[in-house]
Structure formats: structure tokens, C-alpha cells
Amino acid sequence: EPEVTQTPSHQVTQMGQEVILRCVPISNHLYFYWYRQILGQKVEFLVSFYNNEISEKSEIFDDQFSVERPDGSNFTLKIRSTKLEDSAMYFCASSPGVPQLTQYFGPGTRLTVL
Amino acid sequence: GDSVTQMEGPVTLSEEAFLTINCTYTATGYPSLFWYVQYPGEGLQLLLKATKADDKGSNKGFEATYRKETTSFHLEKGSVQVSDSAVYFCALSLTGGGNKLTFGTGTQLKVEL
């Protein structure tokens, strides 16, 4: 069964450094998402991406964040200058698109900012 | 804005007990509703879904019915197992825009022998 994959599984970085989190969505899916989950808290939406552009973003997704689909398979989340409060589990998800709204999640990348 | 409210956890049950986890929602349109499960140390897995009123989603012995009149989507299982111990998230999605998922806070379930 096809699945969403994410790399790395755990990323440790120093405050102020740039990080890139990588995701490979399911191959025939059209919508791509990033969510985050701070330890012990709810899963929060960051951004959705369709047709090579952002379709919706949350208040969390400020100028420090960017997303890109550099080729036909990868979907990346970049944080330009990490802050301590960016420490969280970051989940990538993909969906076939309307009318099939079900999103399929990757295993997540745990980001630790020191 | 759109929101999902779940019952507070943790919930501790004995094996073979009946499970209910309450979920209610507020949405500006007609959402699709989902239950996701997160096992310890793992990501989110879709458990079941319902896309319109009175639909019943079911999987692995879990069920939930989309109740528009009470804006609810309560999760039930007749006989829980130790392996069901996990965090359960209720979520909604509206068609249009990015179709983002809005999650509840999650309910931790612990099943003991």
C-alpha cells in the first residue's frame, strides 16, 4: 500500500539555523499539507499546497516558513531561522483531492531546536 | 471559526469494556468528519470517516455516526483491547480552499488487562 514518507525522522538544530524537512507524498495525490504537533498539544495545520502554490496557510506559517515541490515527488518545508518554540513533530500529509478529502499522514519528523 | 471539541482524557478502561469518546464540532459549512489514531511513537493513521449526515464510519470494530442535528461524531467500540491504547483525534475538513483538517485536542485511551 502506498504511503507518505518523511526524512529525517529526527532533526536536532541550533536556534537561528535553517532546516529543511522532506516529504514524499503518495504519487497520484494532488494536495499536500504540513501540520505540526507540539509535545502534548493538538495537531495544528500549517499550510496546504495545490497546483504548485499555497492554497491556504495558518497564522503560524509566517515569513520564516516556506514550502516547495522542487520535483515531481518531493515536498519540503523550510524554516529559515529556527526558534526554540519551533520544536515539535512535523507531519506531512497528502490527499487525492476533491471529492476524496481523506488525508494520509507520514510518520513525522521530530524537530528539536536547542 | 471551525472547531472540534473532544472529551478530556486520559480514559482508562479494562479490556473488553465499552468505549465512547465524545466529539462535537462547529463548522460554517457541511464538513467531512474523521477519527485519526496515534499509537505511541507513531504518526497519525486514519481510523474512520463520514462525509455526510447520518453516514456511519467503521473500521477495526470502531464506529462513529455523523449526527448533524447534534453536530456530533462520537467514537464507539463495543469491546476494547490492550492494543487499542493510543491517542484518538477527531477532525473535520471542509471542501474548498486547502481542505485543511481541524483537529480536536485528542483523547488518550489506556486499556488495562
Coordinates of all heavy atoms in Angstrom, one line a residue, chain A residues 35-80:
Chain A
Y35 N 1.6 19.8 8.9 CA 1.0 20.1 10.2 C 2.1 20.0 11.3 O 3.1 19.4 11.0 CB -0.1 19.0 10.6 CG -1.3 19.0 9.7 CD1 -1.3 18.4 8.5 CD2 -2.5 19.6 10.1 CE1 -2.5 18.4 7.7 CE2 -3.6 19.7 9.4 CZ -3.6 19.0 8.1 OH -4.7 19.1 7.3
R36 N 1.8 20.5 12.4 CA 2.8 20.3 13.5 C 2.1 19.9 14.8 O 0.9 20.3 15.0 CB 3.7 21.5 13.7 CG 3.1 22.6 14.5 CD 4.1 23.7 14.8 NE 3.5 24.7 15.6 CZ 4.0 25.9 15.9 NH1 5.3 26.2 15.4 NH2 3.4 26.7 16.7
Q37 N 2.8 19.3 15.7 CA 2.2 18.9 17.0 C 3.3 19.1 18.0 O 4.3 18.4 18.1 CB 1.8 17.4 17.0 CG 1.2 17.0 18.2 CD 0.8 15.5 18.2 OE1 1.5 14.7 17.6 NE2 -0.2 15.1 18.9
I38 N 3.1 20.2 18.8 CA 4.0 20.5 19.9 C 3.7 19.4 21.0 O 2.5 19.0 21.1 CB 3.8 21.9 20.4 CG1 4.3 22.9 19.3 CG2 4.6 22.1 21.7 CD1 3.9 24.3 19.7
L39 N 4.7 19.0 21.7 CA 4.6 17.8 22.6 C 3.4 18.0 23.5 O 3.3 19.1 24.2 CB 5.9 17.7 23.4 CG 5.9 16.4 24.3 CD1 5.9 15.2 23.4 CD2 7.2 16.5 25.1
G40 N 2.5 17.1 23.5 CA 1.3 17.1 24.4 C 0.2 18.0 24.0 O -0.8 18.1 24.7
Q41 N 0.3 18.6 22.8 CA -0.7 19.5 22.3 C -1.4 18.9 21.1 O -1.1 17.9 20.6 CB -0.1 20.9 22.1 CG 0.4 21.5 23.3 CD 0.9 23.0 23.1 OE1 0.4 23.6 22.2 NE2 1.8 23.4 23.9
K42 N -2.4 19.7 20.6 CA -3.2 19.2 19.5 C -2.4 19.4 18.2 O -1.4 20.1 18.1 CB -4.5 19.9 19.3 CG -4.4 21.4 18.9 CD -5.7 21.9 18.4 CE -6.8 22.0 19.4 NZ -8.0 22.7 18.9
V43 N -2.8 18.7 17.2 CA -2.2 18.8 15.8 C -2.7 20.1 15.2 O -3.9 20.3 15.2 CB -2.6 17.6 15.0 CG1 -2.0 17.7 13.6 CG2 -2.1 16.3 15.6
E44 N -1.8 20.9 14.7 CA -2.1 22.2 14.1 C -1.8 22.2 12.6 O -0.7 21.9 12.2 CB -1.4 23.3 14.8 CG -1.6 23.4 16.3 CD -0.6 24.4 16.9 OE1 0.6 24.2 17.0 OE2 -1.1 25.5 17.4
F45 N -2.7 22.8 11.9 CA -2.5 23.0 10.4 C -1.5 24.1 10.2 O -1.5 25.2 10.8 CB -3.8 23.3 9.8 CG -3.7 23.8 8.4 CD1 -3.5 23.0 7.3 CD2 -3.9 25.2 8.1 CE1 -3.4 23.4 6.0 CE2 -3.8 25.7 6.8 CZ -3.6 24.8 5.8
L46 N -0.5 23.9 9.3 CA 0.4 24.9 8.9 C 0.1 25.5 7.5 O -0.1 26.7 7.3 CB 1.8 24.4 8.9 CG 2.5 24.0 10.2 CD1 3.9 23.5 10.0 CD2 2.5 25.2 11.1
V47 N 0.0 24.6 6.5 CA -0.1 25.0 5.1 C -0.6 23.9 4.2 O -0.4 22.7 4.5 CB 1.3 25.5 4.6 CG1 2.3 24.4 4.6 CG2 1.2 26.3 3.3
S48 N -1.4 24.3 3.2 CA -1.7 23.4 2.2 C -1.2 23.9 0.8 O -1.1 25.1 0.6 CB -3.3 23.2 2.1 OG -3.9 24.4 1.9
F49 N -1.0 22.9 -0.1 CA -0.3 23.2 -1.3 C -1.0 22.5 -2.4 O -1.2 21.2 -2.3 CB 1.2 22.8 -1.2 CG 2.1 23.3 -2.2 CD1 2.7 24.5 -2.1 CD2 2.5 22.5 -3.3 CE1 3.6 24.9 -3.1 CE2 3.4 22.9 -4.2 CZ 4.0 24.1 -4.1
Y50 N -1.3 23.2 -3.5 CA -2.0 22.5 -4.6 C -1.6 23.2 -5.9 O -1.5 24.5 -5.9 CB -3.5 22.6 -4.4 CG -4.3 22.2 -5.6 CD1 -4.4 20.9 -6.0 CD2 -5.0 23.1 -6.4 CE1 -5.1 20.5 -7.1 CE2 -5.8 22.7 -7.5 CZ -5.8 21.4 -7.9 OH -6.5 21.0 -9.0
N51 N -1.4 22.5 -6.9 CA -1.1 23.1 -8.3 C 0.1 24.0 -8.2 O 0.1 25.1 -8.7 CB -2.3 23.8 -8.8 CG -2.2 24.0 -10.3 OD1 -1.6 23.2 -11.0 ND2 -2.9 25.0 -10.8
N52 N 1.1 23.6 -7.4 CA 2.4 24.4 -7.3 C 2.3 25.7 -6.6 O 3.1 26.6 -6.8 CB 3.1 24.5 -8.6 CG 3.8 23.3 -9.0 OD1 4.4 22.6 -8.2 ND2 3.7 23.0 -10.3
E53 N 1.2 25.9 -5.8 CA 1.1 27.1 -5.0 C 0.4 26.8 -3.7 O -0.3 25.8 -3.5 CB 0.5 28.2 -5.8 CG -1.0 27.9 -6.2 CD -1.5 29.1 -7.0 OE1 -0.7 29.8 -7.6 OE2 -2.8 29.2 -7.0
I54 N 0.7 27.7 -2.7 CA 0.0 27.6 -1.4 C -1.5 27.9 -1.6 O -1.9 28.9 -2.2 CB 0.6 28.6 -0.4 CG1 2.0 28.1 0.0 CG2 -0.2 28.7 0.8 CD1 2.8 29.1 0.8
S55 N -2.4 27.0 -1.1 CA -3.8 27.3 -1.2 C -4.4 27.8 0.1 O -5.4 28.5 0.1 CB -4.5 26.0 -1.6 OG -4.2 24.9 -0.9
E56 N -3.7 27.5 1.2 CA -4.2 28.1 2.5 C -3.0 28.0 3.5 O -2.2 27.0 3.4 CB -5.4 27.3 3.0 CG -6.0 27.9 4.2 CD -7.3 27.2 4.7 OE1 -7.7 26.3 4.0 OE2 -7.9 27.7 5.7
K57 N -2.9 28.9 4.3 CA -1.9 28.8 5.4 C -2.5 29.4 6.7 O -3.4 30.2 6.7 CB -0.6 29.6 5.0 CG -0.8 31.1 4.7 CD 0.5 31.7 4.3 CE 0.3 33.2 4.0 NZ 1.6 33.9 3.6
S58 N -1.9 28.9 7.8 CA -2.4 29.4 9.1 C -1.5 30.5 9.6 O -0.5 30.9 9.0 CB -2.3 28.2 10.1 OG -0.9 28.0 10.4
E59 N -2.0 31.1 10.7 CA -1.2 32.2 11.3 C 0.2 31.8 11.7 O 1.1 32.6 11.8 CB -2.0 32.8 12.5 CG -3.3 33.4 12.1 CD -4.1 33.9 13.4 OE1 -3.7 33.6 14.5 OE2 -5.1 34.5 13.2
I60 N 0.3 30.5 12.0 CA 1.7 30.0 12.4 C 2.7 30.1 11.3 O 3.8 30.4 11.5 CB 1.6 28.5 12.9 CG1 0.5 28.3 14.0 CG2 2.9 28.0 13.3 CD1 0.2 26.9 14.2
F61 N 2.2 29.9 10.1 CA 3.0 29.9 8.9 C 3.4 31.3 8.5 O 2.8 31.9 7.6 CB 2.3 29.2 7.8 CG 3.1 28.8 6.6 CD1 3.8 27.5 6.6 CD2 3.3 29.6 5.5 CE1 4.6 27.1 5.5 CE2 4.1 29.2 4.4 CZ 4.7 28.0 4.5
D62 N 4.4 31.9 9.2 CA 4.8 33.2 8.9 C 6.0 33.2 7.9 O 6.3 32.2 7.3 CB 5.2 33.9 10.2 CG 6.3 33.3 11.0 OD1 7.1 32.5 10.3 OD2 6.4 33.5 12.2
D63 N 6.6 34.4 7.8 CA 7.7 34.5 6.8 C 8.9 33.6 7.0 O 9.7 33.5 6.1 CB 8.1 36.0 6.7 CG 7.1 36.9 6.2 OD1 6.1 36.4 5.6 OD2 7.2 38.1 6.4
Q64 N 9.0 33.0 8.2 CA 10.1 32.1 8.5 C 9.9 30.8 7.8 O 10.8 30.0 7.7 CB 10.2 31.9 10.0 CG 10.7 33.1 10.8 CD 12.0 33.6 10.3 OE1 13.0 32.8 10.2 NE2 12.2 34.9 10.1
F65 N 8.7 30.5 7.4 CA 8.4 29.2 6.8 C 8.2 29.3 5.3 O 7.7 30.4 4.8 CB 7.0 28.7 7.4 CG 7.1 28.3 8.8 CD1 6.9 29.2 9.8 CD2 7.4 26.9 9.2 CE1 6.9 28.8 11.1 CE2 7.4 26.6 10.5 CZ 7.2 27.5 11.5
S66 N 8.6 28.3 4.6 CA 8.3 28.2 3.1 C 8.1 26.8 2.7 O 8.6 25.9 3.4 CB 9.4 28.9 2.3 OG 10.6 28.2 2.5
V67 N 7.4 26.5 1.7 CA 7.2 25.2 1.2 C 7.6 25.2 -0.3 O 7.5 26.2 -1.0 CB 5.8 24.6 1.4 CG1 5.5 24.3 2.8 CG2 4.8 25.6 0.8
E68 N 7.9 24.0 -0.8 CA 8.4 23.9 -2.2 C 8.1 22.4 -2.6 O 8.2 21.5 -1.8 CB 9.9 24.2 -2.3 CG 10.4 24.4 -3.7 CD 11.8 24.8 -3.7 OE1 12.6 24.4 -2.8 OE2 12.2 25.6 -4.6
R69 N 7.8 22.3 -3.9 CA 7.8 21.0 -4.5 C 8.8 21.0 -5.6 O 8.5 21.3 -6.8 CB 6.4 20.7 -5.0 CG 6.1 19.3 -5.5 CD 4.7 18.9 -5.4 NE 4.3 17.8 -6.3 CZ 4.5 16.5 -5.9 NH1 5.1 16.3 -4.7 NH2 4.2 15.5 -6.7
P70 N 10.0 20.8 -5.3 CA 11.1 21.0 -6.2 C 11.1 20.1 -7.5 O 11.7 20.4 -8.5 CB 12.4 20.8 -5.4 CG 11.9 19.9 -4.3 CD 10.5 20.2 -4.0
D71 N 10.5 18.9 -7.3 CA 10.4 18.0 -8.5 C 9.1 17.3 -8.4 O 8.2 17.7 -7.6 CB 11.6 17.0 -8.4 CG 11.7 16.3 -7.1 OD1 10.7 16.0 -6.5 OD2 12.8 16.2 -6.6
G72 N 8.9 16.2 -9.1 CA 7.6 15.6 -9.2 C 7.3 14.7 -8.0 O 6.2 14.2 -7.9
S73 N 8.3 14.6 -7.0 CA 8.0 13.6 -5.9 C 8.1 14.3 -4.5 O 7.4 13.9 -3.6 CB 8.9 12.4 -6.1 OG 10.2 12.8 -6.0
N74 N 9.1 15.2 -4.4 CA 9.3 15.7 -3.0 C 8.5 16.9 -2.7 O 8.1 17.7 -3.6 CB 10.8 16.1 -2.9 CG 11.7 14.9 -2.9 OD1 11.8 14.2 -1.9 ND2 12.3 14.6 -4.0
F75 N 8.3 17.1 -1.4 CA 7.5 18.3 -0.9 C 8.3 18.7 0.4 O 8.4 17.9 1.3 CB 6.1 17.9 -0.6 CG 5.2 19.0 -0.1 CD1 5.2 20.2 -0.7 CD2 4.5 18.8 1.1 CE1 4.4 21.2 -0.2 CE2 3.6 19.8 1.6 CZ 3.6 21.0 0.9
T76 N 8.8 19.9 0.4 CA 9.7 20.3 1.5 C 9.1 21.4 2.3 O 8.3 22.3 1.8 CB 11.0 20.7 1.0 OG1 10.9 21.8 0.2 CG2 11.7 19.6 0.3
L77 N 9.4 21.5 3.6 CA 9.1 22.6 4.5 C 10.4 23.1 5.0 O 11.3 22.4 5.5 CB 8.3 22.1 5.7 CG 8.0 23.1 6.8 CD1 7.1 24.2 6.2 CD2 7.4 22.5 8.0
K78 N 10.6 24.4 4.7 CA 11.9 25.1 5.2 C 11.5 26.1 6.3 O 10.6 26.9 6.2 CB 12.5 25.8 4.0 CG 13.8 26.5 4.4 CD 14.3 27.5 3.4 CE 14.9 26.8 2.2 NZ 15.5 27.8 1.2
I79 N 12.3 26.0 7.3 CA 12.2 27.0 8.4 C 13.6 27.8 8.4 O 14.6 27.2 8.6 CB 12.0 26.4 9.8 CG1 10.8 25.4 9.8 CG2 11.8 27.5 10.8 CD1 10.6 24.7 11.1
R80 N 13.5 29.1 8.1 CA 14.7 29.9 7.8 C 15.6 30.1 9.0 O 16.8 29.9 8.9 CB 14.3 31.2 7.2 CG 13.9 31.1 5.8 CD 13.7 32.5 5.1 NE 13.1 32.3 3.8 CZ 11.8 32.1 3.5 NH1 11.0 32.1 4.5 NH2 11.4 32.0 2.3

